[in-house]
């Protein structure tokens, strides 16, 4: 799981904590930090504005650009395909040293003087976002000509990679990790306010209706947007999409994947134009349970996607899409894991990994963030309203006492402290009047918590195992004397005394020969074994004497003059009793 300090800082205020302190805290609460890397654009790289861009007279691929860097105009020769006038760019000034060690100097390229370099993201040590120079926009902050690029937060950040255990699917997002850190560092999560839709003329009800039976293990939310021709992802989101390794090919899908990484909610988009015959036609989405137990999203007879597992291509958005239906979904991970476990060949996409470990059920929070982004983009027109299918299952409640938790931990923890920690982690807490018994409703994003031992683990990781005092191991053995042990001691003593008198212990099967027993006049059970070793050992022995006589006879036949044998064992009566 890849996060960054500045990305986390958008949800909780980490300005008073160093990256080292954050990593230490993550490790202490069970979120193991695998690596931490600082990304910082070198000094002497500034914001510039391309005033003009003309073709180089001696080259078919170079351009000569006039670039304003605030206090002067520079002439820079650039070979990028996307170099053009009226764009903001990253300019490496003469004297700048690039991450690969290259020093920028005055130069002549094909006979034309060049005083600097227009930079791509990779040349600055950042993830690759395109095949040309990096075009700046105000998503990174106010663009002031000549301002050093490393003064912008996104160009001076610490990238942290966390190795998560499979049960912590709730931390497969920036929001999930921030939620845990807010408890560990006693910080407040920043809330995302819903946009004001009072003045909206366009409503989603004109475009789509959603039909579904009550879901006990899933939830859905749908909204709609109209996409203008100039829509493109911002530089900030492009860099973050590249950071998480997004493979999506369209601007909208890359944005949604980035928001999925940020919020933990699974987003998909459908092209309204591919589902309707006209832009104003209303379509009906139906959520049906499939034969394998999964939930399929249908439009008429067409299966658009399988919730949490995959999406078909026939209604996927592309660069020509005009109206998009945005879907946020949550399906309980146990259901997804069972479906994928029963069918290894089922088609799945990159979201299936997240679904099997538990995606974020707070759909409204994620939708608010997404549509706040859309409202800031002049090329996006959001429709008002949400079509929603709520989760009908109530969260499970776990009862426990503070004394029980204290006994597990080995340190006294007050019920007040237990309640405070669990509330910060999102649990709903209630208690009896004497606070002896606490009841905790487990938040839906923590599917791995099912009993008081799991509750104890949450308390320990927030308190910190290093803060629990060590105690010497106390070893105490209980008196385990019982009837079986007394019988064992009796048999051992008898056998020992017999051996001391010169007798040899004889050990035989629990089975006996019914013919020989009849000749001896010993009554045995009339029931015979269904699958005996052989016909001579077909009943349970009612006496020890027959085997002892056979053993004595065998020894005498082998020239033994004195035969002293004994046997200590169980016999079975004719009624089958021992």
């Amino acid at each position: 799981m890849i996060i960054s300090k500045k990305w986390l800082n958008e949800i909780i205020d980490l300005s008073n904590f160093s990256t080292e302190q954050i990593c230490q805290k993550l490790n202490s609460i069970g979120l193991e930090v695998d690596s931490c890397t600082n990304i910082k654009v070198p000094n002497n790289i500034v914001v510039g504005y391309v005033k003009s861009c003309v073709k180089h007279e001696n080259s078919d691929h170079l351009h000569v650009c006039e670039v304003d860097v605030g206090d002067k105009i520079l002439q820079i020769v650039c070979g990028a395909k996307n170099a053009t006038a009226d764009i903001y760019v990253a300019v490496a000034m003469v004297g700048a040293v690039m991450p690969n060690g290259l020093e920028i100097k005055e130069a002549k390229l094909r006979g034309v003087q060049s005083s600097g370099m227009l930079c791509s993201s990779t040349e600055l040590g950042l993830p690759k976002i395109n095949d040309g120079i990096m075009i700046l926009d105000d998503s990174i902050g106010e663009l002031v000509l000549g301002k050093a690029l490393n003064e912008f937060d996104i160009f001076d950040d610490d990238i942290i990679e966390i190795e998560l255990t499979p049960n912590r699917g709730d931390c497969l997002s920036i929001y999930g990790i921030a939620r845990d850190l807010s408890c560990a560092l006693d910080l407040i999560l920043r809330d995302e306010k819903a946009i004001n839709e009072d003045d909206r003329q366009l409503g989603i009800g004109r475009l789509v209706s959603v039909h579904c039976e009550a879901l006990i293990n899933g939830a859905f939310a749908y909204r709609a947007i109209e996409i203008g021709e100039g829509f493109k992802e911002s530089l900030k989101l492009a860099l973050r999409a590249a950071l998480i390794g997004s493979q999506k090919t369209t601007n909208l899908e890359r944005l949604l994947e980035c928001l999925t990484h940020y919020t933990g909610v699974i987003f998909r988009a459908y092209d309204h134009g591919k589902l309707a015959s006209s832009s104003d036609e209303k379509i009906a989405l139906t959520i049906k349970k499939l034969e394998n137990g999964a939930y399929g999203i249908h439009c008429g007879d067409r299966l658009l996607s399988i919730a949490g597992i995959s999406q078909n291509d026939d209604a996927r958005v592309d660069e020509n899409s005009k109206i998009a239906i945005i879907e946020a979904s949550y399906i309980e991970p146990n259901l997804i894991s069972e479906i994928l476990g029963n069918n290894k060949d089922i088609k799945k996409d990159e979201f299936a990994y997240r679904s099997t470990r538990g995606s974020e059920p707070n759909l409204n929070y994620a939708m608010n963030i997404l549509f706040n982004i859309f409202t800031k983009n002049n090329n996006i027109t959001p429709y008002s309203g949400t079509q929603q299918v709520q989760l009908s299952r109530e969260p499970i409640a776990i009862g426990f006492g503070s004394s029980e938790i204290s006994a597990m931990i080995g340190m006294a923890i007050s019920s007040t402290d237990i309640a405070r920690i669990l509330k910060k982690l999102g649990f709903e807490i209630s208690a009896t009047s004497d606070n002896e018994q606490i009841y905790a409703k487990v938040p839906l994003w923590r599917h791995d918590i099912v009993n008081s031992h799991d509750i104890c683990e949450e308390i320990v990781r927030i308190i910190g195992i290093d803060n629990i005092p060590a105690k010497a191991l106390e070893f105490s053995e209980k008196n385990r004397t019982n009837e079986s042990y007394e019988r064992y001691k009796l048999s051992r003593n008898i056998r020992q005394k017999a051996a001391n008198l010169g007798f040899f212990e004889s050990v035989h099967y629990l089975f006996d020969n019914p013919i020989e027993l009849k000749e001896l006049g010993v009554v045995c059970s009339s029931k015979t074994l269904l699958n005996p070793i052989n016909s001579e050992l077909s009943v349970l022995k009612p006496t020890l004497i027959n085997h002892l006589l056979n053993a004595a006879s065998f020894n005498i036949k082998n020239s033994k003059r004195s035969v002293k044998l004994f046997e200590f064992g169980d016999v079975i009566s004719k009624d089958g009793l021992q």
Side-chain angles (χ1 to χ4, degrees):
M1 176 62 198
I2 295 174
I3 63 173
S4 79
K5 182 180 179 182
K6 299 293 173 59
W7 213 349
L8 282 172
N9 201 64
E10 294 178 8
I11 304 177
I12 52 175
D13 184 5
L14 296 173
S15 56
N16 294 326
F17 298 91
S18 67
T19 302
E20 183 180 0
Q21 288 175 315
I22 294 170
C23 290
Q24 288 175 349
K25 184 57 68 174
L26 287 170
N27 282 322
S28 72
I29 62 176
L31 305 178
E32 182 182 352
V33 174
D34 188 57
S35 65
C36 181
T37 307
N38 177 256
I39 291 181
K40 185 175 183 178
V41 170
N43 294 327
N44 223 9
I45 312 289
V46 302
V47 175
Y49 178 74
V50 181
K51 299 185 68 176
S52 67
C53 179
V54 297
K55 289 186 66 66
H56 194 295
E57 58 184 9
N58 298 322
S59 173
D60 58 356
H61 71 279
L62 294 177
H63 299 84
V64 180
C65 303
E66 280 190 330
V67 184
D68 186 352
V69 292
D71 58 348
K72 56 187 171 181
I73 306 295
L74 301 176
Q75 178 175 280
I76 299 175
V77 178
C78 176
K81 294 180 180 180
N82 63 338
T84 184
D86 300 324
I87 58 174
Y88 287 90
V89 292
V91 181
M93 307 290 283
V94 172
V97 179
M98 308 304 287
N100 62 1
L102 173 69
E103 182 178 353
I104 305 301
K105 299 178 179 179
E106 294 276 359
K108 276 190 176 183
L109 298 176
R110 299 282 181 94
V112 175
Q113 185 71 25
S114 181
S115 303
M117 183 175 77
L118 306 187
C119 305
S120 68
S121 61
T122 54
E123 288 169 334
L124 297 175
L126 304 170
K128 181 178 179 179
I129 60 172
N130 57 19
D131 292 327
I133 57 175
M134 183 173 67
I135 299 174
L136 307 180
D137 59 39
D138 58 6
S139 67
I140 65 173
E142 183 183 358
L143 298 178
V144 178
L145 296 181
K147 181 178 180 179
L149 222 62
N150 55 25
E151 293 181 17
F152 294 92
D153 284 348
I154 198 162
F155 297 125
D156 182 9
D157 204 355
D158 294 308
I159 309 303
I160 303 169
E161 187 166 0
I162 297 175
E163 191 71 29
L164 290 175
T165 53
N167 67 309
R168 292 309 307 273
D170 61 298
C171 286
L172 278 172
S173 66
I174 305 294
Y175 177 58
I177 291 174
R179 185 166 47 203
D180 255 28
L181 272 179
S182 71
C183 177
L185 299 174
D186 197 22
L187 300 174
I188 298 174
L189 286 171
R190 293 187 174 119
D191 195 15
E192 191 71 22
K193 302 296 183 183
I195 56 177
N196 184 2
E197 299 181 341
D198 293 342
D199 298 329
R200 291 280 163 77
Q201 300 298 317
L202 300 174
I204 188 176
R206 299 180 183 183
L207 290 178
V208 62
S209 61
V210 180
H211 307 278
C212 179
E213 298 177 358
L215 298 179
I216 61 172
N217 45 20
F220 295 86
Y222 293 88
R223 300 198 68 166
I225 59 171
E226 187 172 324
I227 306 172
E229 292 184 2
F231 169 66
K232 60 181 180 179
E233 63 184 343
S234 66
L235 174 60
K236 184 176 182 179
L237 283 171
L239 286 169
R240 287 180 171 174
L243 179 66
I244 64 176
S246 174
Q247 301 296 315
K248 299 296 186 182
T249 58
T250 65
N251 291 328
L252 180 58
E253 286 188 312
R254 279 197 298 273
L255 169 61
L256 294 179
E257 186 174 10
C258 196
L259 263 289
T260 292
H261 188 88
Y262 181 61
T263 65
V265 171
I266 294 176
F267 282 105
R268 299 191 190 278
Y270 308 107
D271 189 331
H272 178 270
K274 295 178 180 179
L275 300 173
S277 57
S278 63
S279 61
D280 59 351
E281 180 184 351
K282 185 175 182 178
I283 63 171
L285 298 181
T286 306
I287 302 170
K288 303 176 184 177
K289 201 163 190 178
L290 305 179
E291 291 183 0
N292 61 1
Y295 290 100
I297 293 86
H298 297 77
C299 182
D301 296 331
R302 299 165 66 180
L303 177 63
L304 306 182
S305 65
I306 302 176
I309 297 177
S310 65
Q311 180 179 0
N312 295 333
D313 293 333
D314 57 348
R316 192 184 293 272
V317 295
D318 54 39
E319 295 296 353
N320 298 317
S321 298
K322 301 300 181 184
I323 297 177
I325 308 300
I326 310 296
E327 174 191 85
S329 66
Y330 166 76
I331 302 294
E332 289 189 349
N334 293 337
L335 176 62
I336 302 294
S337 297
E338 181 181 350
I339 293 166
L340 296 180
N342 292 336
N343 185 359
K344 302 291 185 183
D345 298 324
I346 191 171
K347 178 186 174 182
K348 52 184 179 289
D349 59 20
E350 69 280 358
F351 291 136
Y353 173 85
R354 184 181 297 274
S355 297
T356 56
R357 283 155 178 77
S359 60
E360 173 61 44
N362 192 351
L363 306 186
N364 288 332
Y365 171 81
M367 276 292 193
N368 288 340
I369 291 177
L370 180 61
F371 274 76
N372 283 340
I373 293 174
F374 284 149
T375 54
K376 296 174 185 176
N377 192 309
N378 294 329
N379 296 298
I380 292 290
T381 304
Y383 285 67
S384 65
T386 304
Q387 296 282 354
Q388 203 159 10
V389 180
Q390 299 283 4
L391 186 69
S392 60
R393 182 181 66 80
E394 286 294 320
I396 65 170
I398 299 174
F400 55 90
S402 58
S403 57
E404 178 186 359
I405 299 298
S406 298
M408 291 185 200
I409 295 176
M411 180 178 76
I413 308 293
S414 69
S415 57
T416 303
D417 288 337
I418 292 174
R420 177 182 55 79
I421 291 172
L422 293 179
K423 283 181 180 178
K424 289 285 288 184
L425 288 172
F427 291 75
E428 292 183 28
I429 302 298
S430 60
T432 56
S433 57
D434 55 3
N435 284 333
E436 284 297 319
Q437 191 74 2
I438 301 172
Y439 297 93
K441 280 189 177 181
V442 181
L444 293 173
W445 61 82
R446 291 306 303 273
H447 65 279
D448 57 315
I449 296 179
V450 296
N451 54 41
S452 60
H453 294 84
D454 296 328
I455 295 288
C456 177
E457 183 179 345
E458 294 301 294
I459 302 299
V460 168
R461 70 186 187 87
I462 298 302
I463 290 176
I465 197 166
D466 292 336
N467 296 321
I468 299 174
K471 293 182 179 179
L473 176 65
E474 292 184 11
F475 181 81
S476 58
E477 182 66 21
K478 293 181 180 179
N479 185 353
R480 302 183 185 275
T481 301
N482 53 31
E483 184 179 348
S484 297
Y485 178 70
E486 294 295 342
R487 179 176 172 79
Y488 162 74
K489 282 207 317 182
L490 174 63
S491 68
R492 187 184 62 181
N493 291 336
I494 292 174
R495 288 152 58 202
Q496 188 65 51
K497 288 178 180 179
N500 291 340
L501 293 173
F503 286 82
F504 292 90
E505 184 172 8
S506 182
V507 180
H508 298 95
Y509 287 117
L510 188 61
F511 315 119
D512 213 332
N513 189 331
I515 298 175
E516 292 179 353
L517 290 172
K518 186 175 181 181
E519 292 174 354
L520 289 174
V522 178
V523 178
C524 65
S525 173
S526 59
K527 306 272 186 178
T528 59
L529 300 177
L530 295 176
N531 188 23
I533 297 173
N534 56 52
S535 59
E536 295 179 352
L537 296 172
S538 60
V539 296
L540 296 173
K541 65 182 181 184
T543 179
L544 303 177
I545 191 64
N546 187 41
H547 283 312
L548 286 172
L549 288 173
N550 287 332
S553 172
F554 181 81
N555 278 272
I556 289 171
K557 289 176 181 179
N558 281 276
S559 304
K560 297 291 183 180
R561 294 186 178 182
S562 175
V563 181
K564 300 170 71 174
L565 301 174
F566 79 94
E567 182 174 5
F568 190 97
D570 296 323
V571 295
I572 307 300
S573 71
K574 64 178 182 177
D575 299 321
L577 300 177
Q578 185 174 344

